[in-house]
Amino acid sequence: MAGLWFETALLPGGWAFGVRLEVAEGRIRSVEVDVPPAPGDERHGIALPGLCNLHSHAFQRAMAGLTETRADAGGDSFWTWRAMMYRFVDRIEPEHIEAIAAQAYVEMLEAGFVRVAEFHYLHHARDGGLYDNIAEHAAHIGAAAEQTGIALTLLPVFYAHANFGSVAPDHGQRRFTTTPEQFGCLMDACRRAIARLPGAVLGLAPHSLRAATVGEIAAILPLCQSGPIHIHIAEQSREVDDCLAWCGRRPVEHLLDNMAVDESWCLIHATHMTAGETARLAASGAVAGLCPITEANLGDGIFPARDYAAAGGRFGVGSDSNILIDAAGELRQLEYSQRLASGGRNLLTTLETRSSGRRLFDAARHAGARASGIAAAEIAPGHPADLVSLNLHDTSLSARRGDALLDSWIFAARHGLVDCVWLQGRKLVSQGHHHLRDGISSRFRRTLGVLTG
């Protein structure tokens, strides 16, 4: 039985002070408030429940900073970035995936994410052929999660076409594509690959309506069993235009008209929606998976978060391309995008929750967990000890209490305010550093030398 004492902690009923936890077998056994630390207790500043990162392409962490140079005379866009990503993918081997993912997962833990939903679509060998183990890459993703200790929700991706209308995939997509029959084998192999990981969840992800027809999606959904379902949708205006030209409907509209979208679904990006689509998506119970830093980096556009939230829509955040892994930064960018679009401030708050930091944190915590196939973390008896501590003595938190701590962490603190992270009671991060950071970072640097040399 381990004792943890915090000067203040965010409990289900709100902020409390002098909070002492007893942790055993990975779970919180008891919570006391307004008590002094017991002899031998670890003492920390601020305790928060951990966040789920609901959308990651781990391998893209190796590209961070390498696509910020103008590509051609016509200017850059998401589509020129995608072409560069395809060229980068051509060089990746399974051992590279593990090294890159481990670095990304270390950074996620250090940023306050305790679980990652890995939207995994890089399946095949460099020539497009199948490995003897069709889940070879997924097994390396699982190994990276096991090494770093992060909890994993694995989302194998079904990818069959290059565009609406079942256009044949091109050369750059050869490592992604499967038939529905192959995808069934992939799901079985992925289930075996993550079986040993504590708390691992298996869902599935039709890549997009460009890459999978609604008939194909309907055929593969039973493979998911009770796991979450994720899909990229309406990320780019050209995607909307292509969908309209093909079927006369917009992507979100087409999905909602043809699939029973409910709370088991997570629609990634959903950037370009009409008011009607926004209201329908909110009413469906699905989660909008927002990746504000990547969406800004790629020039995707601004999600209609204010109208969506006002309609009761659920939203969480992910790090997507992993250009910069920062849980607080994703929440900050989400709010700032709404401010830039509207000219207002504190736009996602409610009369019940007037703090932007608290509103963003709570929304992302609950919806991110739902999209990851788990219950939201709580600092309460019986819950897993999935905890994040912030350094209360950082100057950005001086003279702050309650929700002002979240406001200051998200909007006024430098990177590195996360002090410690525990997953199922196991401390993975201390004084802001993962306990295996040095070795994992060394391997990552060697891998980058191979891939970019």
Side-chain angles (χ1 to χ4, degrees):
M1 188 83 72
L4 300 173
W5 184 87
F6 300 91
E7 293 188 39
T8 187
L10 182 57
L11 306 184
W15 291 96
F17 299 90
V19 177
R20 184 174 186 274
L21 311 180
E22 287 190 339
V23 177
E25 299 179 345
R27 292 189 173 271
I28 299 170
R29 285 287 181 89
S30 65
V31 179
E32 299 176 274
V33 301
D34 296 323
V35 298
D41 283 354
E42 276 194 50
R43 304 183 186 192
H44 299 278
I46 305 161
L48 301 172
L51 288 171
C52 295
N53 179 339
L54 57 62
H55 190 66
S56 164
H57 306 301
F59 76 89
Q60 292 178 16
R61 182 69 186 113
M63 295 172 52
L66 297 180
T67 63
E68 306 306 318
T69 302
R70 184 167 174 161
D72 57 40
D76 276 3
S77 68
F78 167 85
W79 306 100
T80 58
W81 173 89
R82 189 180 74 160
M84 295 175 71
M85 183 266 287
Y86 286 173
R87 292 194 293 272
F88 189 84
V89 160
D90 283 349
R91 307 188 68 178
I92 293 178
E93 298 284 5
E95 63 271 18
H96 301 151
I97 292 218
E98 184 174 331
I100 298 164
Q103 178 66 27
Y105 295 165
V106 160
E107 295 178 9
M108 289 177 197
L109 286 160
E110 291 178 349
F113 289 120
V114 298
R115 175 179 288 268
V116 58
E118 185 62 40
F119 196 103
H120 174 59
Y121 61 82
L122 181 53
H123 301 312
H124 306 317
R126 291 171 64 179
D127 64 359
L130 301 182
Y131 290 105
D132 290 340
N133 174 11
I134 194 171
E136 179 72 18
H137 286 172
H140 283 273
I141 291 288
E146 184 174 32
Q147 182 183 12
T148 60
I150 199 166
L152 178 65
T153 295
L154 182 64
L155 302 165
V157 170
F158 177 77
Y159 199 124
H161 313 292
N163 208 346
F164 298 101
S166 301
V167 174
D170 61 32
H171 180 75
Q173 296 160 335
R174 69 193 182 282
R175 303 191 73 178
F176 314 153
T177 57
T178 66
T179 65
E181 294 75 18
Q182 289 170 338
F183 188 72
C185 296
L186 175 65
M187 287 291 290
D188 289 341
C190 285
R191 188 171 283 108
R192 292 191 297 270
I194 66 172
R196 70 181 184 278
L197 300 181
V201 173
L202 183 68
L204 62 74
H207 178 272
S208 59
L209 291 177
R210 302 191 313 274
T213 67
V214 292
E216 290 165 337
I217 295 171
I220 64 171
L221 285 187
L223 301 171
C224 173
Q225 298 178 6
S226 60
I229 306 155
H230 289 218
I231 186 170
H232 292 130
I233 198 160
E235 179 178 3
Q236 284 281 321
S237 57
R238 190 175 107 182
E239 177 187 346
V240 176
D241 293 341
D242 287 349
C243 191
L244 282 166
W246 169 63
C247 71
R249 286 178 291 192
R250 302 166 62 88
V252 173
E253 176 188 20
H254 182 58
L255 183 71
L256 294 174
D257 283 351
N258 287 279
M259 302 299 301
V261 174
D262 58 18
E263 62 183 22
S264 64
W265 286 72
C266 179
L267 275 61
I268 305 298
H269 304 305
T271 309
H272 300 282
M273 295 191 291
T274 64
E277 289 174 307
T278 301
R280 287 183 68 190
L281 179 58
S284 74
V287 171
L290 309 180
C291 307
I293 292 175
T294 290
E295 289 154 4
N297 181 263
L298 296 180
D300 287 345
I302 297 174
F303 177 80
R306 188 181 185 187
D307 291 342
Y308 179 74
R314 299 176 174 90
F315 61 87
V317 295
S319 57
D320 195 354
S321 70
N322 295 307
I323 180 73
L324 177 66
I325 298 173
D326 184 354
E330 298 289 355
L331 300 174
R332 179 172 60 250
Q333 181 67 31
L334 173 57
E335 170 67 23
Y336 280 177
S337 69
Q338 305 306 301
R339 297 183 187 191
L340 289 168
S342 72
R345 300 185 72 252
N346 299 316
L347 294 168
L348 298 179
T349 57
T350 66
L351 292 177
E352 295 76 22
T353 307
R354 296 174 179 269
S355 155
S356 284
R358 177 66 180 276
R359 167 69 171 131
L360 291 163
F361 183 80
D362 282 351
R365 180 165 63 90
H366 288 283
R370 173 175 290 188
S372 300
I374 63 167
E378 299 284 4
I379 303 178
H383 282 257
D386 297 345
L387 308 168
V388 174
S389 71
L390 304 182
N391 180 4
L392 183 60
H393 304 294
D394 188 273
T395 54
S396 62
L397 301 184
S398 297
R400 305 295 195 270
R401 289 170 62 91
D403 290 346
L405 294 168
L406 288 172
D407 290 334
S408 296
W409 175 42
I410 293 169
F411 294 102
R414 293 188 174 198
H415 181 72
L417 199 60
V418 172
D419 181 26
C420 299
V421 176
W422 296 261
L423 189 69
Q424 295 188 0
R426 177 188 172 200
K427 186 190 277 190
L428 302 173
V429 174
S430 299
Q431 296 182 325
H433 293 278
H434 191 280
H435 67 283
L436 296 179
R437 166 177 265 281
D438 291 346
I440 287 171
S441 294
S442 293
R443 185 183 178 192
F444 176 71
R445 286 192 290 269
R446 291 193 300 271
T447 299
L448 283 190
V450 172
L451 292 175
T452 60

